[in-house]
Amino acid sequence: MDLIDKRIVLGMTGGIACYKIAELVRRLTEQGATVDVVMTEAATHFITPVTMQALSGRPVFIDAWDARVPNNMAHIDLTRGADAVLIAPASADFMAKLAHGEASDLLSTLCLARACPMLVAPAMNREMWANPATQRNVAQLRADGIAILGPDSGSQACGEVGDGRMLEAHQLLAEVVAFFQPKLLAGKRVLMTAGPTSEPIDPVRVLSNRSSGKTGYALARAAHEAGAQVTLVSGPTSLPAPYGVSLIPVMTARQMHAAVMAEAGSADLFIAVAAVADWYVKNASAQKIKKTGSGAPQLEFEANPDILADVAGLPDGPWCVGFAAETENLAQHAEDKRRRKNIPVLVGNLAQNVMDADTTEMALFDAQGMHPLPAASKLDAARRLVAEIAARLPKRRA
Ligand code: C5P
């Protein structure tokens, strides 16, 4: 659970995107958050307070004069214990109020009276979003230290297509979870590889490695949560792209190599998690190889480029972290590999313990030796690893 002990005031304003907030409240509470829903009168025209109360399990507040609050000061009472105020959906009208510090109803008063950070998820028609007045207000909110989440682009409830759609519930959840993670990689550009590579034998057959991509994707998510700008070059997996991460899909090791080398020059950190095939089939067939009586096809192999070694060898290249999945003698193989590839950090694990699993147990190897990390879910382990990497990353890169 990513939001245990977190108290969130969820402010809803008038917009059709209110329907997405029912789902968001469920997801926030599933992650352990306590959610106090505060609605403007306009929001109650789109979804009922009864629904929001049932989902949050807590009373919903609308009116500044709500006598249920013992001291009759709901605007103070609701925010004092809160870790964040999230306004979703945020209408153009409400953002204008926020930008000008108005306190004309319970929600706007509470925003002005809050002592905690605020996140705002705009939701409006594309022309309303593009209007210079709205853009002025958004710039003002950013300047005031308020995080603006989205908006997304796409089809809108009004029938038009463009910018202004509110993020989906799962994206808002990812933003809120990320908000509470320490920004250990703020401003850093992180390039990563993940998943297996897939080397064609013919148009329907491939050689590949067993890799679900779960560790690499979790690490990409954790790096993004830590404030990095993340590019993930991934072989084929069944996983959705981590939210906020720029994904470059590839199939073969040579494609992965080309994509990585094109991005490596601008990266501060390169993390090679992919299970790259060591060889490709040199005599791959352009047509499907038929089963004939003459026995098995004779495949010829050629070594794939070593992506990590090539990046580590760049004169002004990024700081490199490698991975090694071994089946035995982890400490010896991992340290050998770290030295051979000439990289500052290599992360090792025992393949049979982590393959396809949702949990992992890793050890970090650096010039000081081996540092075992606790067994954990792949996401928790990834967050821990980000902290370990951030602590070792040189402060200033030439
Ligand atoms: O060479 P080996 O596969 O044992 O090393 C594993 C590490 O090297 C991993 O970080 C993997 O992503 C990377 N690697 C690579 N290109 C290859 C082979 C491995 O980047 N061709």
Side-chain angles (χ1 to χ4, degrees), residues 78-132:
L78 282 165
T79 56
R80 284 305 171 261
D83 294 291
V85 172
L86 168 64
I87 308 295
S91 64
D93 174 63
F94 196 75
M95 286 169 53
K97 279 186 181 166
L98 286 178
H100 291 92
E102 282 186 27
S104 50
D105 56 11
L106 173 60
L107 187 57
S108 55
T109 309
L110 166 163
C111 289
L112 203 61
R114 81 188 193 285
C116 62
M118 180 148 75
L119 301 93
V120 167
M124 66 198 71
N125 165 268
R126 66 190 172 100
E127 296 293 0
M128 294 173 82
W129 173 253
N131 191 292

Side-chain angles (χ1 to χ4, degrees), residues 193 253 270 272-278 304-309 321-324 326 337 340-341 346:
T193 64
F270 176 56
V273 195
V276 183
D278 290 311
N304 270 322
D306 189 320
I307 304 165
L308 177 55
V321 177
F323 266 71
E326 301 294 341
K337 205 164 279 190
R340 189 161 23 92
K341 301 215 180 201
L346 186 126

